[in-house]
């Protein structure tokens, strides 16, 4: 009786299709890594797209940090552009951008609205007392519910809203002087040109 021939000891080779897929995966991963490295030094690396750009700002009614009995709504802010700056006393990066925002607010170029996010009221008031308050008014969102409508994921974040209540620009991360000069001010100039020049809406009677 014939005995079966022993199996070959040759190693099994991967099918060509599997090799090709593996190579494509590796090249794709390498491409993503190279892109990340190339973007790491870009001045707009923290500028993230927002689904709100070009759309009405979410409606809200939030208490004023300095007087929780007073609420401010999005409708009250309409009539002139404003900057909405998201910050918290717990946020170290917010401290980095604060002097730059303060100097810009002193120009009275545009209304600066503070958005105090998920913060303790006493801590927030102490933070402003120590570092100065550049804001026309500070809104408090202690539970962070309204922030969900704005798509706020971290602090600091900054929005530019025009006089009609349309979100025109957003930046995630600390505002540096370069970001202010190269991104925020040009965006504001565009809004001003479309509205016929600079204008500041009258104070709506909220003290800070």
């Amino acid at each position: 009786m014939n005995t079966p021939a022993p199996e070959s000891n040759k190693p099994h080779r991967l099918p060509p299709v599997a090799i090709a897929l593996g190579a494509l995966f590796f090249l794709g991963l390498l491409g993503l890594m190279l892109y990340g490295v190339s973007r790491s030094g870009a001045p707009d690396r923290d500028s993230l797209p927002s689904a709100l750009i070009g759309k009405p700002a979410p409606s809200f009614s939030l208490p004023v940090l300095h007087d929780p009995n007073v609420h401010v709504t999005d409708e009250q802010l309409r009539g002139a552009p404003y900057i909405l700056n998201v910050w918290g006393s717990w946020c170290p990066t917010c401290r980095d951008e604060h002097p730059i925002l303060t100097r810009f607010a002193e120009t009275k170029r545009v209304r600066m609205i503070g958005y105090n996010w998920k913060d303790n009221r006493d801590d927030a008031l102490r933070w402003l007392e120590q570092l100065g308050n550049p804001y026309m008014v500070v809104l408090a969102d202690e539970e962070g519910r309204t922030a969900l409508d704005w798509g706020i994921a971290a602090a600091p974040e900054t929005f530019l809203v025009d006089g009609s209540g349309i979100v025109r620009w957003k930046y995630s991360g600390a505002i540096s002087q370069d970001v202010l000069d190269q991104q925020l001010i040009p965006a504001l100039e565009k809004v001003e040109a479309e509205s016929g020049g600079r204008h500041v809406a009258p104070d709506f009677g909220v003290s800070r």
Side-chain angles (χ1 to χ4, degrees), residues 91-170:
C91 166
T93 314
C94 298
R95 183 180 291 264
D96 295 338
E97 72 173 5
H98 196 75
I100 296 170
L101 293 177
T102 299
R103 288 193 296 270
F104 183 58
E106 289 173 351
T107 67
K108 301 186 184 299
R109 174 78 177 266
V110 63
R111 294 176 296 168
M112 187 82 69
I113 309 298
Y115 191 109
N116 187 235
W117 182 48
K118 289 188 176 182
D119 207 353
N120 176 276
R121 181 171 182 268
D122 291 338
D123 291 341
L125 291 173
R126 189 179 305 110
W127 196 85
L128 290 174
E129 183 178 353
Q130 293 174 351
L131 300 182
N133 185 1
Y135 306 109
M136 174 182 173
V137 65
V138 180
L139 311 178
D141 186 6
E142 189 170 350
E143 296 182 356
R145 293 180 179 176
T146 301
L148 296 176
D149 298 330
W150 284 80
I152 295 171
E157 289 191 356
T158 306
F159 298 82
L160 171 63
V161 183
D162 67 20
S164 299
I166 305 298
V167 179
R168 303 296 296 270
W169 180 84
K170 174 193 173 184

Side-chain angles (χ1 to χ4, degrees), residues 163-185:
S164 299
I166 305 298
V167 179
R168 303 296 296 270
W169 180 84
K170 174 193 173 184
Y171 189 83
S172 296
I175 298 292
S176 64
Q177 191 63 48
D178 286 342
V179 171
L180 181 68
D181 295 337
Q182 299 176 18
Q183 296 189 41
L184 177 52
I185 290 179

Side-chain angles (χ1 to χ4, degrees), residues 38-47 171 174 176 178-179 182-183:
S38 67
R39 295 291 294 166
S40 63
D44 63 341
R45 62 186 183 278
D46 292 323
S47 185
Y171 189 83
S176 64
D178 286 342
V179 171
Q182 299 176 18
Q183 296 189 41

